[in-house]
Amino acid sequence: MNKTALITGATSGIGRATANEFAKHGINLIVCGRRQERLENLKNELSKLVNVYTLNFDVSDREQTLSAIASLPKDFKNIDILINNAGNAHGLDPIQTGNLDDWDAMIDINVKGLLYVSKAIIPGMTERQSGHIINIGSSAGKEVYPKGNVYCGSKHAVLAITEGMRIDLNPFGIKVGAVNPGMVETEFSDVRFKGEAPDNVYKGYKALQAEDVADVIYFAVSRPAHVNIADVLMFCTAQASSTIVKKS
Ligand code: NDP
Ligand code: 8X3
């Protein structure tokens, strides 16, 4: 029987590319996000390949998240694969002038949102004694860079929570891992800079594309039952670390 995956943040970037990749390989999908039109478009496209259900909720809203996932119809209730991808950076400011709303957004979405979604889905996995959770961390979860303070903190938290999940869910045979990209050309910088991203962010080098990350996520979920890809750090060739990028 085909597997079912729930992907948060499927309306854009890495999440959308992962939905496309999974559909190509026959994985049924629950695609999540807040932009309804994009969810509908994705469903129309991918329904030609697999069964697709859309869920519109804000991961940072605890009640919305729990009730959206509880509302899944019978055919989509057994989630085999959870891709905790929804998230963004909000702002790039030194700690002393950081914006409290940006800090709230990053902690509420990247950390608490991931926990709310996981809380709603893990009990089904423990009951069935199977499942696979992949959390999308970041190179920012491994290395702190100037002005990255709270975003880096949120991604360090994602990696600590990933390890905690892997330990606690070990007795149930559930796989848990993280995929941590460096710079990926998505809507990420539009969000971080509130629509005013400097136009050189992805210029002068070839950044990772969302599809490159989706390939790695699919690789992780398609390993044999005894293999768990626990942690992947991936950069584009031009990037050596958070602060070193070879540009022409
Ligand atoms: P995008 O901005 O392209 O996509 C972000 C996705 O998250 C969208 O689908 C958006 O959907 C969803 N999202 C954001 N906030 C919420 C919310 N409150 N509730 C529900 N969904 C939400 O960025 P990326 O694809 O690049 O980012 C995906 C993940 O990858 C993030 O966790 C990011 O931190 C991580 N990452 C990105 C890197 C990069 O350089 N791009 C590098 C390393 C990690 P909608 O707006 O419809 O709700
Ligand atoms: C996104 C990559 O370097 O902008 O997580 O933090 S970075």
Side-chain angles (χ1 to χ4, degrees):
M1 209 172 78
N2 288 7
K3 290 195 169 173
T4 298
L6 183 144
I7 304 174
T8 65
T11 55
S12 173
I14 296 168
R16 187 168 55 198
T18 303
N20 287 331
E21 188 64 20
F22 280 12
K24 271 199 274 175
H25 290 93
I27 299 175
N28 295 321
L29 293 169
I30 301 156
V31 288
C32 310
R34 295 163 301 176
R35 286 171 283 182
Q36 187 60 28
E37 201 181 330
R38 290 192 183 200
L39 289 175
E40 291 303 328
N41 290 342
L42 196 58
K43 181 177 172 170
N44 290 339
E45 239 172 83
L46 300 185
S47 292
K48 292 167 198 142
L49 300 172
V50 290
N51 299 327
V52 182
Y53 195 82
T54 65
L55 277 184
N56 184 329
F57 62 96
D58 180 338
V59 296
S60 69
D61 183 318
R62 188 206 291 202
E63 297 315 320
Q64 259 188 42
T65 301
L66 298 180
S67 68
I69 294 169
S71 77
L72 283 169
K74 192 168 150 287
D75 286 353
F76 287 91
K77 269 208 187 307
N78 289 348
I79 296 164
D80 303 292
I81 300 165
L82 165 60
I83 308 295
N84 272 317
N85 163 74
N88 278 112
H90 292 260
L92 182 70
D93 299 296
I95 197 77
Q96 65 275 19
T97 55
N99 177 305
L100 285 175
D101 290 336
D102 286 343
W103 294 0
D104 279 345
M106 290 185 280
I107 301 298
D108 289 350
I109 299 167
N110 302 357
V111 182
K112 290 163 71 180
L114 177 149
L115 287 170
Y116 297 155
V117 173
S118 304
K119 176 74 178 163
I121 291 172
I122 286 172
M125 291 183 168
T126 54
E127 203 181 310
R128 294 189 304 278
Q129 306 236 356
S130 79
H132 194 164
I133 301 172
I134 295 184
N135 296 327
I136 306 305
S138 169
S139 52
K142 295 180 175 282
E143 185 189 5
V144 180
Y145 54 83
K147 304 182 192 174
N149 44 64
V150 178
Y151 178 66
C152 296
S154 77
K155 290 298 182 176
H156 275 69
V158 167
L159 294 194
I161 291 164
T162 302
E163 273 185 53
M165 285 181 173
R166 191 163 52 246
I167 293 164
D168 294 344
L169 298 176
N170 172 271
F172 301 94
I174 295 170
K175 298 186 189 186
V176 183
V179 172
N180 305 291
M183 295 172 83
V184 192
E185 191 171 356
T186 63
E187 293 173 15
F188 179 86
S189 290
D190 292 336
V191 176
R192 167 168 253 176
F193 297 105
K194 304 171 190 3
E196 297 186 352
D199 49 347
N200 65 350
V201 182
Y202 303 114
K203 291 259 166 72
Y205 71 106
K206 174 87 174 170
L208 287 174
Q209 303 298 297
E211 292 72 21
D212 300 322
V213 184
D215 274 351
V216 170
I217 296 170
Y218 179 70
F219 176 81
V221 303
S222 56
R223 292 309 85 209
H226 68 287
V227 178
N228 179 35
I229 305 296
D231 190 72
V232 176
L233 172 64
M234 59 186 294
F235 286 123
C236 66
T237 306
Q239 183 168 16
S241 72
S242 290
T243 52
I244 299 174
V245 182
K246 181 174 178 284
K247 293 190 181 182
S248 58

